[in-house]
Amino acid sequence: MLIDGHNRVVDYLRISVTERCNFRCQYCMPEKPFSWVPHENLLSFEDMFEFVKVAIDEGIKKIRLTGGEPLLRHGLVQFVKLIHDYAPNIDLAITTNAFLLEETAQSLKDAGLKRLNISLDSLKPEVAKQIAQKDVLDKVLKGIHKANSIGLGIKINCVPLKGINDSEIIDLLEYCKKNNWEIRFIEFMENSHASVKQGLSSDEMQEIISKKYKFTKGKRVGSSPSQTYILEDGYKFGIIEPHKDDFCSDCNRIRITAEGYLIPCLYFEDALSIADAIKQKDIKEASNILKKVLKNKPEKNKWGSENQSNRAFYETGG
Ligand code: SAM
Ligand code: SF4
């Protein structure tokens, strides 16, 4: 079992397989083009899998593949299969913008994937285009419905932004309710890479929803970052509330970047690389580094503090 320096069990690994993305979401990426980490600096999927095995053997029970946009990385389906075949009971999921999902959903399912979290910030083509800075909605919806039709589990993520898509909170909720998907609204997390500056607080989102629906607060499920709310007819939606004080208290996550840096917490600068250890097939050292990083996991995120990390969400995987 993996335990961090504050006695929290860590059993959830988020793997960013690429920082590259085919979208430029205003809340995540800068508007101006910038250079990516060169391909040769990325950990190969074979090497990443060596680390995944260490992590699973040490106690990781849940793995999420994210990015950047994970479906952009060549070899992802085989990587899913490697993980699934090694640990069929692992809770394995992908977070994606769904742009390439229509063509990849079936092979991901065949490789063992069970569920997806999909970003959907608007149901209006022009608004989706404004946020992603690309005409995306039609392909995104086709991707989501394809995945749904073949039985992949779906949760929708949405980041409401002031004056951009906040008028669509009810429409998005109803669209997901109609399709029987949980939607999770995420409070915008401030970062220096985003070109928008203001999201909605959980209270503001709840106020909007309460104008049309009565709902109650549900129990927090396990270490999920999402607070559940329940409509009168039983439909559940979530709000991810990182600005709330108790958000970090039962954090069970650790992240690894596509280059092999283990990051104990978003907004936390100190990270250690497992790349050399893995390339040298030094599994013991990789396991030691994992434990060192966990020991160093801060009790609370470092938002607003002096040593807040400037790492981007597309690098850490959100
Ligand atoms: N490209 C994939 C996607 O968009 O779903 C996966 C990577 S993305 C970085 C992972 C998650 O981070 C998405 O749900 C996205 O909405 C969220 N995210 C990105 N920037 C954010 C921000 N500034 N505040 C809150 N959530 C953010
Ligand atoms: Fe790309 Fe996801 Fe960031 Fe949007 S949120 S720019 S889709 S990585």
Side-chain angles (χ1 to χ4, degrees):
M1 191 186 286
L2 292 164
I3 311 246
D4 77 1
H6 303 278
N7 267 331
R8 293 170 295 197
V9 174
V10 173
D11 58 6
Y12 178 12
L13 174 67
R14 294 178 66 108
I15 305 176
S16 174
V17 298
T18 176
E19 54 164 9
R20 292 172 196 238
C21 191
N22 41 4
F23 289 15
R24 295 286 181 276
C25 300
Q26 290 185 331
Y27 49 76
C28 178
M29 290 214 175
E31 274 167 305
K32 287 190 218 114
F34 44 89
S35 54
W36 304 110
V37 170
H39 278 298
E40 57 270 25
N41 289 14
L42 300 185
L43 221 54
S44 68
F45 275 137
E46 290 74 23
D47 285 342
M48 189 64 93
F49 180 58
E50 290 305 314
F51 175 70
V52 167
K53 287 194 283 186
V54 172
I56 292 174
D57 294 349
E58 296 283 2
I60 291 295
K61 299 203 163 26
K62 176 173 173 179
I63 294 181
R64 175 172 302 283
L65 308 180
T66 173
E69 176 43 43
L71 302 190
L72 280 180
R73 179 130 181 220
H74 187 69
L76 184 80
V77 172
Q78 293 87 330
F79 187 50
V80 167
K81 185 162 167 40
L82 279 175
I83 299 174
H84 176 260
D85 289 352
Y86 184 71
N89 292 328
I90 206 99
D91 180 3
L92 181 59
I94 291 182
T95 301
T96 172
N97 63 30
F99 194 78
L100 298 173
L101 192 55
E102 193 182 12
E103 46 271 50
T104 40
Q106 186 63 58
S107 41
L108 286 169
K109 181 163 192 246
D110 294 344
L113 189 78
K114 301 278 184 309
R115 50 193 200 84
L116 296 151
N117 284 34
I118 299 174
S119 294
L120 179 68
D121 294 312
S122 173
L123 292 168
K124 295 181 183 161
E126 283 313 310
V127 178
K129 185 175 178 180
Q130 181 187 357
I131 295 174
Q133 306 191 64
K134 176 171 170 170
D135 194 2
V136 295
L137 188 63
D138 185 47
K139 254 183 95 54
V140 166
L141 291 180
K142 282 187 175 138
I144 300 177
H145 284 282
K146 169 73 186 184
N148 185 53
S149 71
I150 61 169
L152 283 164
I154 287 170
K155 282 186 187 167
I156 300 295
N157 290 334
C158 167
V159 183
L161 301 167
K162 280 227 162 106
I164 300 179
N165 61 346
D166 51 353
S167 60
E168 288 187 70
I169 287 183
I170 295 278
D171 289 349
L172 282 156
L173 180 96
E174 290 177 345
Y175 183 71
C176 291
K177 183 168 172 316
K178 186 179 83 189
N179 284 292
N180 216 8
W181 305 325
E182 183 180 331
I183 185 165
R184 287 128 44 106
F185 298 103
I186 309 175
E187 285 182 339
F188 168 65
M189 294 181 236
E190 294 74 13
N191 69 90
S192 61
H193 306 271
S195 52
V196 286
K197 295 288 167 238
Q198 230 186 342
L200 270 72
S201 69
S202 172
D203 289 347
E204 288 170 321
M205 298 180 210
Q206 290 179 56
E207 199 187 321
I208 291 171
I209 297 168
S210 68
K211 289 197 174 129
K212 181 148 184 196
Y213 292 103
K214 282 194 177 140
F215 58 88
T216 51
K217 196 169 175 172
K219 281 201 182 117
R220 196 88 165 253
V221 186
S223 299
S224 167
S226 176
Q227 171 62 56
T228 301
Y229 295 89
I230 309 161
L231 300 189
E232 280 184 313
D233 65 4
Y235 174 75
K236 290 181 184 160
F237 66 96
I239 305 185
I240 299 184
E241 307 168 329
H243 294 88
K244 293 229 161 122
D245 270 353
D246 62 351
F247 187 72
C248 305
S249 60
D250 50 6
C251 179
N252 63 344
R253 289 171 284 279
I254 186 160
R255 295 171 164 80
I256 186 164
T257 69
E259 287 179 280
Y261 282 97
L262 271 177
I263 299 174
C265 177
L266 282 175
Y267 295 98
F268 189 62
E269 193 52 44
D270 295 358
L272 292 177
S273 174
I274 49 93
D276 286 345
I278 286 294
K279 281 178 197 158
Q280 288 156 17
K281 309 241 174 293
D282 191 345
I283 301 306
K284 196 155 181 276
E285 176 60 4
S287 165
N288 286 340
I289 295 171
L290 171 61
K291 285 170 192 154
K292 237 188 244 172
V293 170
L294 286 182
K295 214 165 165 218
N296 200 26
K297 187 170 160 68
E299 188 169 14
K300 243 187 119 1
N301 68 49
K302 296 286 175 193
W303 258 351
S305 74
E306 266 175 27
N307 58 345
Q308 170 180 324
S309 160
N310 197 31
R311 229 179 258 115
F313 279 73
Y314 56 84
E315 192 186 344
T316 55

